[in-house]
Amino acid sequence: MEVVIASSSVADAGIGCWDLHTGAEQLRLKSCASTARGLTSVGHRFVASSQLRDPSATSGSVFYWSWDRPQVEVKSFPAEPILPLAANSEGTYIAGGSVSGEIYLWEVPTGKLLRKWHAHYRAITCLVFSDDDSLVISGSEDGSVRVWSLFMIFDDMRRQEATHLYEHSFTGHALRITDVVIGYGGSNAIIVSASEDRTCKVWSLSKGILLRNIVFPSMIYAIALDPGEHVFYAGSRDGKIYVAALNAESSSNDAYGMYIIGSLADHSKAVTCLTYSNSLNLLVSGSDDGMVRVLDPKSGNVMRMFRHSKGPINNVQIVRKQLGFNPRMVVNPQGSSRRHGSLLPPPLEKYTNSSDDDSDFRTVVSLHGTSYEPLESPHISSNAMNQQIEELQRQSSSYATEMELERLKVDSKRSMQMVEKWKQMYENLHQFCVDELLDIDQVQPTKAGFT
Amino acid sequence: MVRPKALSKKQQKKGIDFKKIKRKVGRKLPPPKNATNTEIKSKAIVLPEQSVASDRVGLAVNKKGLTLKELLQQTSHHNPKVRRDALMGIKDLFLKHPDELRLHMYAVVEKLRERIGDDDKLVREALYQLFKSVIFPSCKEGNQGPFVSLMMAYIFNAMTHLAVDVRLMAFRFLGLVVLHYPPTFLLYAEKILQNYEEILCKHQLFAQDRSKLKTALAGLMCCLSLLPCNDQEDNASEKKTTGKRLLHGFEQDVYASSSGWNTLGLEKLKGLVPVLINCLREILSVVNSLPSLEFQSFDCMLTILQSIDLAVKFFIATIDKSESDLQTTLGGATLATLDQGVASVILKRLCVLFPLNPAHHASQKDSDRYFALNVMIADIFLSCSEWISPPDDMSERFLEFVEVMLLGKISDSAKTEATVSNKHLLLPFIPKLLAQVPNNWKSRLLQAFTRAFRECNHQSSLKLAFLSIIEEIVIPGQNRIHLDVSDPELLDHQIAWVRELPALLIMLGEKHQSVTQVVLRLILRLGQSASSRPTLQGEYDNIQYPLQDFFCKCQDESSVSYGPFIRLSQDCQELAVSCLYYFSHLDSALLKAIATCYLCNDLEPSVLFRTIEVLDSAYAAGHIWISDIISFFITLLSRFKVSPDNALPVKEVEPKISNCGTLRLLTSVVCSCLLHIGDESMVLQMIEKVIIDQMFVSLQKLKPSRDNACALLRLLVTLDSKPTRLSEQTIDGLASFLALYLIDICSVVIPHISEEDDEAAVAFLDRMTHYYVLPCLFLFDRSQRLLKLVLNEMESLISGRTSLSCLKNGSHGTDHSTSVIAIVYVLQLMHKDFKIRQIQSSFKAEIECILRSLQALVESSTTLEERHKLQCAYHRVHRMLGNLQERTPCLL
């Protein structure tokens, strides 16, 4: 089930969820005043969003919601106000960009702050993970886009040797970066960045150079990439969604300028966020007037319209929600016995715990295998694993009892089978004996006859 | 003299007896009648062999009628003169028939290459010219690889020839090949360098003639400059191609950047450096014995130094690369061998020479030359100072030299081109030096740098170099050089540089836009990066005060002098506008200067809209106070001058002349900005008083501009809601203004309406009137009390209790009757609108009142014409009133 989730900067509107196929509204998650690009689904399992804070606030806040309860389930308060938030596709890491230009990287299952590094001179405005989750791309208020390799971030030796942490630093934009997307193709992908200086720039990830500069008639607030990378869609301040060419040499349109092929539906107000549904080939846009529109990018027609709030929407995401609702719930019916009844991971930590042995940050396939979908193989650090092993050893946790139960079940089943086998054997033996006796009876008369 | 005359007379007489047959010269005699016909007629002629002359038809020949084949044969003739002539002939042939060359390229080169090692000087020269002027230029495109490889074998052969001249010529040929086909060098690097080394070892060859040495060195320079050492150049070339390429297209690899470069080549290059240094010392020893430095020697020395410099830079690049690539196998080896070999040679043999000084008293020219040489040595020294670990006294000498150079050689006043270009060479080392040298030198260098930057002519390209160095130092984390940012002295100097910038901008004016652009970009980068360093951010914020003059100088009402901003190109303007975003608090004085700037009509509207966008997002980021941005917007709307002044655009005039459209667009842009700047009712409360004040100011100025008034009204309407949120006081103020405003519009429109027959024109007039009247209708719809007040006002105007003086001073002088007719027209307009008609019906009493005073006016009117007009108006109102009364019941 593909679901559109949208949030706005107004707290009372919450997070709206709509089924993309049917258009039916789902449970609305309450009290979320998200920052721009501050809404993300963590591995499709639950929703996380960073919250707008008072400018004077010293700490930020990141909230978690699970799909089936409207209330905020987990609240965490990082050391600084967090603006954009991003999770990798499996939902094992969350990255957050702060007001002062730091990037924080947390491990979701434990809530541990793994790394924190100074990324930009000014506030970070957008964060994106690459396809294979090995790169983080950040855009900032200072107009630069930087590419970070997680291998580099975690490699202490190379960190000390290197003069800079980033893989690339693109400094072509004059003003704040509003959105960044990365294309497909691994290391040979393109990165498209949009800025308030009215331009979108296409960068090459492999060569680290500017490939194309597209000047728009108005500021661009959001971009979405066509799955075939023929075009990209740019939502602008004047309410239009421009379609800009990526592959054509120069298919210019006099009406808008070089590389801009045309524009889609006119919203009355600025388009603030865009996302593309690959499975249905639909473009979803959120606008300043509080509406979420679902467009057919070929015809430009508005297919559906969802009313979210009066205030401006600043996040739209498409999430593939699992039909089994919450798999953990089914497997583990006595979940209420766990911590505060929450099925979500613990809150994110404020500071890095330096006392821990850093050398242990190896990611491994987790033991949770049975409770997640078989296709997923979430990675968690060995710390989390150690914790679990310890729990198992102590035989105290519910998970351990669960395992024990499973084992006993298998045992009893095996015993039952054994019993069945014995029974069968006994019957066979019995039959044999009976037959034997009868045979003797039959044989003896003949013998008697002969004799 | 007399006799011939008499004779001629005699002859004439004689002519009568003998008939003279006149024959024209050149005519053939007719054949005698008894001639035999010798013609042979035949159907076909078969000849055993074609004649030499006839086979040239259709073949490409040169001036002398020789074909390519013959010419090529002649090139191997034993007579040098014939050989030379053949080469000249080939050149001639190819110039005439370029196709011929393309067809036979391979064969021609195959034959011609034999002549590279020719014994005769003239032949070689002719061959060189042939290759240089014809063959290489014509085969630029296409595959040069194979025939270059054909030539190379003979070139190498000639390089080992016994005759020195032949050898030198071979080097010239090599230079030519490398120039036209750069990959050659990397393919044959090892062999080429080997040959150079050998020839340079033979000092005695060059003792007499420096030009020979120069010939050899020129080729070497050309080769070495192809070494992949300079990353900055690569970046620059990449920037140029931006935007042309396909995003996912196939791209040919840049030719053998260093893949074709093997370790053997590197070894050879290392061997070459000591040879070059020896060569230099040899020349120097000769020069020192001479009274002055002649040009040839100087040129040779400079070339040698440049070659060494290129080689050294390449070594460093390889070391850097191997370090970054983590290829310890290759990298470790090079680093070690460079340390032992080349580094010590450079240190002990070259750097000890520094500084080169004239042995005798030198002229100005000579000392300039020595200075150039010294700069080159300093360049080499500074590039490899990390590897050669020089003794302290030597580095002192170099640092002293750099300081003296920065201070512009106070001793000699003449600043020639040469010294300027020399500064370019050493400036890039400043950041590196600042990071490395001990503290006392650091402060000396900084002082010299700051002083040089201040004194440097702002138009010169040197200023650009200074700016790029400043950018490198001020903006951290761009490259591998790490300066201690917390160092207070460095910070002091950085602040001094930043303070220079706005003054520089103003000084540059609009004439040197390229430099202006660089300065603006530097300011922008500074704004982007300064936020983490409070001192610099404060300094950046302070830029805005001197920057006011950049936009607009004095903001007196009477005299405004605009700064350079409005005359800059659009790129620069955009950059300047972008800089505004990064001030942590944008001062109202600067906003005022900007607003004044935009009220001048010379600016492109697109820049104006761009500025509004940027200021709006700066506001959203909390960099501007709400009161400041509101007053900025209102100033724009109320003071924007519409030209032609206050006249109504009757026809859809060319947009260039009238900027009415710009104001309309501006209105809608400002409206949308104000809508999301905060809560609507709050914003309305803040602006309503300001708007009313503005309106009355414009009334008092006796020239109310209806376009600006309309813009302000629209702003009010956008922010207001139904029912109105405007205060009583505002409505009272608005009423009298609206009455005058409506009358003004209609009194301008009416004369046109009666004149125009054209339907399109009438429709346009309607549309335009509608544009002006629409905000009023909205206001009436939202507040009935306002309508009532306006009607009352009109009534009092008709009856003459209030004077229309303010209108009479308008551009269209109106007398009383015309304004009365205008009022009637306004009433009709309102009547046309359905919603207003409904509201009007509840104000019948007021309309009747108007009717009565109209009646009174009709009776008191003096002239017949006027009386007729007023009578018509009266009837119209009467009819309208009847209409209203009829409809009221059904509406109720």
Side-chain angles (χ1 to χ4, degrees):
Chain A
M1 182 167 61
E2 287 217 330
V3 175
V4 178
I5 55 173
S7 68
S8 77
S9 54
V10 186
D12 49 8
I15 302 173
C17 308
W18 297 270
D19 188 335
L20 198 54
H21 288 270
T22 60
E25 177 157 10
Q26 315 266 315
L27 186 68
R28 189 173 275 228
L29 310 176
K30 279 181 187 162
S31 57
C32 167
S34 65
T35 55
R37 319 268 162 253
L39 179 72
T40 181
S41 80
V42 183
H44 306 297
R45 292 197 298 277
F46 61 96
V47 182
S49 167
S50 61
Q51 300 296 301
L52 277 173
R53 302 303 301 259
D54 250 319
S56 57
T58 49
S59 77
S61 65
V62 175
F63 293 173
Y64 290 170
W65 289 262
S66 64
W67 288 118
D68 48 348
R69 289 172 71 179
Q71 281 82 25
V72 180
E73 300 218 4
V74 178
K75 293 185 180 182
S76 29
F77 299 96
E80 271 184 279
I82 298 291
L83 299 175
L85 205 63
N88 65 345
S89 56
E90 281 156 358
T92 42
Y93 298 120
I94 287 184
S98 81
V99 169
S100 66
E102 306 269 343
I103 295 180
Y104 292 76
L105 190 75
W106 289 281
E107 185 187 57
V108 177
T110 54
K112 212 171 155 53
L113 178 56
L114 298 180
R115 279 282 184 271
K116 175 191 134 182
W117 69 96
H118 190 69
H120 288 274
Y121 302 123
R122 280 173 177 269
I124 291 167
T125 54
C126 38
L127 269 179
V128 179
F129 272 93
S130 71
D131 251 6
D132 58 354
D133 293 335
S134 67
L135 301 174
V136 176
I137 296 132
S138 62
S140 158
E141 202 185 0
D142 64 14
S144 59
V145 175
R146 284 178 175 176
V147 181
W148 312 90
S149 159
L150 289 183
F151 296 119
M152 184 70 163
I153 298 297
F154 284 102
D155 193 336
D156 281 328
M157 216 166 79
R158 273 175 70 199
R159 245 154 73 106
Q160 278 157 10
E161 274 180 10
T163 50
H164 50 73
L165 273 177
Y166 53 80
E167 300 292 312
H168 296 298
S169 176
F170 304 119
T171 54
H173 286 293
L175 288 179
R176 201 167 77 96
I177 305 291
T178 53
D179 205 357
V180 168
V181 289
I182 180 166
Y184 309 96
S187 63
N188 212 14
I190 51 164
I191 297 171
V192 186
S193 62
S195 163
E196 283 187 346
D197 63 4
R198 282 186 172 181
T199 61
C200 282
K201 291 181 199 285
V202 183
W203 312 91
S204 154
L205 183 60
S206 55
K207 300 193 192 93
I209 51 167
L210 176 66
L211 294 176
R212 187 170 290 184
N213 182 26
I214 305 169
V215 183
F216 287 87
S218 181
M219 281 184 185
I220 299 299
Y221 283 156
I223 37 184
L225 211 57
D226 173 63
E229 286 186 18
H230 298 299
V231 291
F232 72 91
Y233 303 95
S236 82
R237 185 192 154 94
D238 61 8
K240 288 194 179 88
I241 297 175
Y242 293 101
V243 184
L246 279 177
N247 55 359
E249 180 75 329
S250 66
S251 55
S252 63
N253 182 330
D254 292 338
Y256 300 121
M258 192 78 162
Y259 298 120
I260 305 174
I261 297 168
S263 68
L264 298 181
D266 234 334
H267 300 42
S268 56
K269 285 190 174 176
V271 179
T272 52
C273 38
L274 281 177
T275 182
Y276 199 94
S277 159
N278 289 352
S279 63
L280 296 178
N281 259 335
L282 291 173
L283 189 66
V284 181
S285 77
S287 157
D288 251 352
D289 59 5
M291 304 297 279
V292 176
R293 290 171 177 81
V294 180
L295 301 142
D296 177 12
K298 294 282 169 298
S299 63
N301 293 334
V302 177
M303 313 285 280
R304 291 185 195 288
M305 233 159 68
F306 305 127
R307 166 145 210 95
H308 179 255
S309 66
K310 273 199 155 180
I313 295 180
N314 54 16
N315 283 293
V316 163
Q317 291 259 323
I318 291 177
V319 182
R320 190 184 300 276
K321 209 157 120 182
Q322 280 130 20
L323 279 172
F325 228 57
N326 199 326
R328 295 270 293 278
M329 190 77 162
V330 180
V331 171
N332 187 13
Q334 66 268 51
S336 55
S337 66
R338 299 192 66 186
R339 198 190 303 114
H340 309 301
S342 166
L343 298 167
L344 297 182
L348 305 173
E349 276 175 13
K350 215 165 190 171
Y351 305 107
T352 41
N353 215 343
S354 56
S355 63
D356 270 345
D357 42 342
D358 284 349
S359 58
D360 244 6
F361 285 126
R362 272 163 295 154
T363 54
V364 286
V365 177
S366 90
L367 286 176
H368 284 289
T370 49
S371 55
Y372 288 90
E373 287 222 326
L375 280 176
E376 279 183 273
S377 56
H379 300 273
I380 55 167
S381 77
S382 54
N383 285 41
M385 240 175 73
N386 287 339
Q387 216 174 318
Q388 273 186 358
I389 290 168
E390 216 169 284
E391 269 187 8
L392 284 174
Q393 280 169 346
R394 274 190 273 119
Q395 302 275 317
S396 59
S397 80
S398 60
Y399 197 77
T401 50
E402 195 184 305
M403 296 252 310
E404 190 63 30
L405 188 72
E406 204 74 15
R407 198 175 59 81
L408 289 174
K409 266 184 189 167
V410 172
D411 267 7
S412 85
K413 206 174 171 187
R414 203 188 294 143
S415 322
M416 293 292 277
Q417 277 172 353
M418 210 70 144
V419 169
E420 286 292 314
K421 237 182 194 171
W422 282 113
K423 263 186 179 171
Q424 187 76 37
M425 214 181 238
Y426 170 76
E427 285 210 345
N428 285 351
L429 209 63
H430 178 75
Q431 188 69 36
F432 177 76
C433 292
V434 169
D435 287 354
E436 205 66 4
L437 277 173
L438 284 177
D439 277 356
I440 291 167
D441 284 352
Q442 280 168 3
V443 169
Q444 251 157 15
T446 49
K447 262 186 184 174
F450 275 113
T451 51
Chain B
M1 289 298 278
V2 182
R3 274 181 73 128
K5 222 175 178 180
L7 204 114
S8 65
K9 271 176 191 169
K10 265 182 195 169
Q11 275 173 348
Q12 270 173 359
K13 279 168 193 168
K14 269 180 190 167
I16 301 161
D17 299 332
F18 301 97
K19 197 184 171 189
K20 192 176 181 185
I21 301 160
K22 280 189 180 168
R23 284 216 177 88
K24 282 187 182 157
V25 182
R27 277 249 175 125
K28 278 185 180 168
L29 283 170
K33 276 172 193 145
N34 57 351
T36 323
N37 188 3
T38 55
E39 233 172 81
I40 301 162
K41 280 182 185 169
S42 141
K43 280 191 180 168
I45 300 172
V46 181
L47 289 175
E49 207 175 28
Q50 276 191 324
S51 86
V52 181
S54 64
D55 89 276
R56 315 259 141 160
V57 182
L59 273 181
V61 291
N62 72 341
K63 262 190 283 188
K64 291 182 180 165
L66 293 166
T67 60
L68 185 62
K69 199 179 167 191
E70 288 161 343
L71 285 167
L72 284 176
Q73 274 166 2
Q74 283 179 17
T75 53
S76 40
H77 199 271
H78 65 273
N79 187 349
K81 225 174 164 187
V82 177
R83 291 201 298 258
R84 201 191 69 194
D85 283 346
L87 289 172
M88 304 289 249
I90 290 173
K91 188 174 164 187
D92 179 47
L93 181 82
F94 286 153
L95 285 176
K96 264 192 200 158
H97 309 277
D99 285 341
E100 204 71 0
L101 176 59
R102 220 167 301 140
L103 288 170
H104 306 293
M105 172 78 83
Y106 202 79
V108 169
V109 174
E110 203 171 15
K111 186 77 188 160
L112 287 182
R113 60 181 182 162
E114 292 163 12
R115 297 275 70 77
I116 289 174
D118 200 284
D119 293 331
D120 191 76
K121 197 180 172 188
L122 290 172
V123 175
R124 289 194 307 263
E125 187 59 36
L127 184 69
Y128 182 79
Q129 290 304 329
L130 173 65
F131 272 111
K132 190 181 173 187
S133 59
V134 185
I135 295 180
F136 275 116
S138 70
C139 64
K140 256 180 202 152
E141 68 283 342
N143 199 358
Q144 294 166 317
F147 92 78
V148 164
S149 65
L150 279 182
M151 281 179 75
M152 286 314 285
Y154 277 79
I155 289 180
F156 285 135
N157 198 17
M159 278 178 178
T160 51
H161 202 275
L162 277 176
V164 180
D165 281 346
V166 177
R167 279 199 206 182
L168 285 175
M169 201 63 201
F171 283 106
R172 278 181 74 191
F173 274 113
L174 177 70
L176 193 68
V177 172
V178 170
L179 197 69
H180 284 94
Y181 187 64
T184 318
F185 174 60
L186 293 178
L187 285 173
Y188 299 96
E190 196 194 332
K191 232 170 173 181
I192 291 175
L193 291 175
Q194 170 81 40
N195 279 313
Y196 269 117
E197 199 180 326
E198 275 167 20
I199 191 137
L200 288 174
C201 283
K202 300 200 159 56
H203 309 295
Q204 68 276 15
L205 286 180
F206 309 116
Q208 304 85 20
D209 197 356
R210 297 265 179 253
S211 65
K212 284 180 186 167
L213 178 61
K214 174 72 190 148
T215 317
L217 285 173
L220 182 64
M221 263 283 284
C222 185
C223 289
L224 291 180
S225 63
L226 289 171
L227 287 172
C229 64
N230 215 337
D231 334 307
Q232 285 150 3
E233 274 171 24
D234 294 348
N235 292 342
S237 63
E238 268 164 10
K239 268 176 197 160
K240 275 179 215 154
T241 55
T242 289
K244 294 285 180 197
R245 69 183 83 202
L246 288 162
L247 292 189
H248 299 294
F250 167 77
E251 272 169 48
Q252 205 159 18
D253 278 342
V254 186
Y255 56 81
S257 53
S258 58
S259 54
W261 183 259
N262 48 21
T263 333
L264 276 174
L266 198 65
E267 289 304 319
K268 281 278 169 284
L269 193 57
K270 278 178 195 160
L272 191 62
V273 171
V275 176
L276 281 170
I277 293 176
N278 279 342
C279 210
L280 179 80
R281 292 178 74 102
E282 195 82 13
I283 299 174
L284 210 59
S285 64
V286 176
V287 163
N288 276 341
S289 60
L290 293 172
S292 73
L293 183 62
E294 29 121 21
F295 179 74
Q296 288 280 4
S297 312
F298 163 70
D299 206 24
C300 285
M301 286 200 284
L302 196 61
T303 323
I304 290 171
L305 284 172
Q306 280 166 346
S307 302
I308 297 173
D309 187 38
L310 285 169
V312 164
K313 279 187 178 143
F314 173 67
F315 293 147
I316 290 165
T318 6
I319 290 168
D320 286 355
K321 207 171 148 234
S322 58
E323 268 178 9
S324 64
D325 287 356
L326 292 170
Q327 289 171 344
T328 40
T329 47
L330 185 90
T334 45
L335 191 64
T337 40
L338 182 67
D339 271 342
Q340 292 155 8
V342 183
S344 67
V345 171
I346 289 175
L347 181 66
K348 284 181 189 144
R349 304 274 294 161
L350 179 67
C351 292
V352 285
L353 294 173
F354 183 84
L356 296 176
N357 279 321
H360 309 275
H361 180 71
S363 64
Q364 175 66 42
K365 209 164 151 193
D366 276 1
S367 61
D368 270 354
R369 281 176 180 168
Y370 274 108
F371 182 71
L373 293 176
N374 282 334
V375 166
M376 270 325 290
I377 298 177
D379 188 12
I380 294 166
F381 174 79
L382 291 174
S383 345
C384 59
S385 58
E386 288 150 56
W387 281 274
I388 58 179
S389 51
D392 284 346
D393 62 320
M394 188 181 281
S395 5
E396 292 266 311
R397 255 188 288 157
F398 279 101
L399 286 174
E400 222 160 277
F401 179 75
V402 172
E403 189 189 18
V404 167
M405 183 217 61
L406 277 175
L407 292 176
K409 291 209 294 176
I410 303 157
S411 54
D412 71 275
S413 50
K415 289 189 175 177
T416 51
E417 268 307 302
T419 58
V420 171
S421 66
N422 289 331
K423 271 191 187 178
H424 276 297
L425 268 180
L426 292 191
L427 271 181
F429 292 105
I430 299 282
K432 193 172 113 182
L433 282 177
L434 287 179
Q436 285 170 352
V437 296
N439 277 333
N440 60 331
W441 268 109
K442 193 165 159 184
S443 65
R444 274 174 74 175
L445 280 178
L446 273 172
Q447 269 165 15
F449 182 81
T450 309
R451 197 170 144 193
F453 172 62
R454 284 213 182 106
E455 281 170 1
C456 166
N457 184 8
H458 62 265
Q459 300 171 9
S460 67
S461 58
L462 196 57
K463 198 76 171 183
L464 283 178
F466 271 112
L467 287 171
S468 76
I469 298 301
I470 287 177
E471 183 171 345
E472 207 171 314
I473 298 175
V474 172
I475 294 157
Q478 277 191 316
N479 43 23
R480 36 190 29 243
I481 291 150
H482 290 289
L483 288 168
D484 182 14
V485 281
S486 57
D487 179 18
E489 192 178 3
L490 182 61
L491 202 63
D492 281 349
H493 282 279
Q494 288 181 349
I495 288 168
W497 303 333
V498 171
R499 284 186 183 158
E500 283 287 304
L501 295 178
L504 182 62
L505 266 186
I506 293 162
M507 207 149 67
L508 283 166
E510 69 274 8
K511 280 185 194 113
H512 311 283
Q513 299 220 356
S514 56
V515 188
T516 307
Q517 200 165 0
V518 172
V519 177
L520 283 171
R521 185 154 289 136
L522 176 59
I523 293 179
L524 181 67
R525 299 276 291 129
L526 190 66
Q528 287 174 341
S529 65
S531 72
S532 53
R533 289 166 296 169
T535 352
L536 271 185
Q537 180 65 45
E539 223 29 70
Y540 182 74
D541 287 341
N542 285 336
I543 287 183
Q544 59 181 309
Y545 302 108
L547 215 55
Q548 282 171 28
D549 286 352
F550 175 64
F551 289 97
C552 184
K553 215 155 255 168
C554 52
Q555 291 128 43
D556 237 1
E557 284 291 320
S558 49
S559 66
V560 177
S561 75
Y562 296 108
F565 175 73
I566 60 167
R567 289 182 297 273
L568 292 175
S569 70
Q570 209 154 335
D571 287 349
C572 294
Q573 285 176 341
E574 281 208 4
L575 273 178
V577 168
S578 302
C579 291
L580 300 177
Y581 178 86
Y582 290 105
F583 292 119
S584 56
H585 169 63
L586 203 55
D587 194 59
S588 60
L590 181 60
L591 277 177
K592 203 172 154 195
I594 297 167
T596 324
C597 219
Y598 284 112
L599 293 175
C600 155
N601 280 337
D602 297 350
L603 269 177
E604 281 286 312
S606 62
V607 181
L608 170 62
F609 295 130
R610 179 91 190 103
T611 314
I612 291 178
E613 263 184 8
V614 171
L615 289 179
D616 191 39
S617 45
Y619 166 76
H623 300 164
I624 307 179
W625 285 339
I626 189 165
S627 57
D628 285 342
I629 194 154
I630 286 178
S631 61
F632 175 77
F633 284 146
I634 292 188
T635 313
L636 277 186
L637 285 187
S638 61
R639 305 257 298 277
F640 192 86
K641 281 195 212 77
V642 174
S643 61
D645 204 16
N646 223 13
L648 210 60
V650 181
K651 298 239 171 64
E652 291 178 58
V653 285
E654 315 79 271
K656 272 176 197 161
I657 296 175
S658 162
N659 55 3
C660 196
T662 311
L663 181 60
R664 288 186 185 183
L665 206 57
L666 180 66
T667 315
S668 65
V669 168
V670 168
C671 284
S672 70
C673 282
L674 283 181
L675 267 182
H676 66 244
I677 179 174
D679 184 49
E680 287 165 31
S681 57
M682 294 281 282
V683 177
L684 185 68
Q685 262 182 22
M686 292 180 82
I687 66 166
E688 65 180 332
K689 177 132 191 352
V690 190
I691 289 188
I692 299 295
D693 286 350
Q694 279 293 332
M695 284 176 177
F696 282 98
V697 166
S698 71
L699 267 185
Q700 275 152 19
K701 273 198 292 179
L702 304 175
K703 253 196 172 181
S705 162
R706 75 182 73 82
D707 286 294
N708 295 344
C710 177
L712 291 176
L713 284 175
R714 280 182 167 253
L715 196 59
L716 269 188
V717 169
T718 320
L719 292 169
D720 197 12
S721 64
K722 186 180 179 177
T724 184
R725 281 187 293 223
L726 295 169
S727 66
E728 297 281 306
Q729 206 182 348
T730 317
I731 289 180
D732 290 341
L734 264 181
S736 58
F737 177 79
L738 281 185
L740 293 177
Y741 169 75
L742 285 169
I743 292 167
D744 177 44
I745 290 165
C746 293
S747 59
V748 181
V749 172
I750 289 168
H752 293 299
I753 286 221
S754 48
E755 279 166 24
E756 292 289 343
D757 317 322
D758 185 14
E759 249 181 56
V762 172
F764 173 68
L765 266 180
D766 267 355
R767 220 166 41 239
M768 203 196 52
T769 324
H770 187 69
Y771 180 81
Y772 287 114
V773 175
L774 193 68
C776 304
L777 297 185
F778 267 107
L779 284 171
F780 294 152
D781 180 37
R782 287 168 186 177
S783 158
Q784 304 206 345
R785 192 167 149 266
L786 181 63
L787 180 58
K788 187 182 167 190
L789 285 173
V790 169
L791 288 174
N792 285 342
E793 188 76 19
M794 286 179 170
E795 195 267 333
S796 69
L797 282 173
I798 293 176
S799 58
R801 281 195 301 260
T802 318
S803 79
L804 279 165
S805 63
C806 22
L807 275 181
K808 277 178 189 154
N809 285 321
S811 54
H812 294 263
T814 45
D815 58 57
H816 195 228
S817 66
T818 25
S819 66
V820 168
I821 288 167
I823 291 172
V824 172
Y825 190 76
V826 172
L827 286 177
Q828 278 183 304
L829 271 180
M830 288 196 233
H831 191 69
K832 272 187 204 161
D833 189 272
F834 180 71
K835 266 192 179 166
I836 303 296
R837 193 158 63 218
Q838 279 178 318
I839 304 162
Q840 256 184 345
S841 56
S842 54
F843 294 116
K844 277 186 296 243
E846 277 74 16
I847 299 178
E848 270 164 25
C849 211
I850 290 177
L851 200 62
R852 268 200 300 283
S853 32
L854 206 56
Q855 175 85 48
L857 204 64
V858 172
E859 280 155 18
S860 69
S861 60
T862 46
T863 61
L864 202 64
E865 195 190 353
E866 199 181 309
R867 196 193 172 88
H868 170 70
K869 271 205 255 173
L870 289 173
Q871 191 76 44
C872 284
Y874 174 78
H875 283 309
R876 267 186 272 168
V877 178
H878 193 74
R879 212 179 307 134
M880 197 171 79
L881 195 62
N883 228 348
L884 278 177
Q885 269 159 350
E886 259 174 45
R887 288 196 183 187
T888 322
C890 38
L891 281 169
L892 288 171

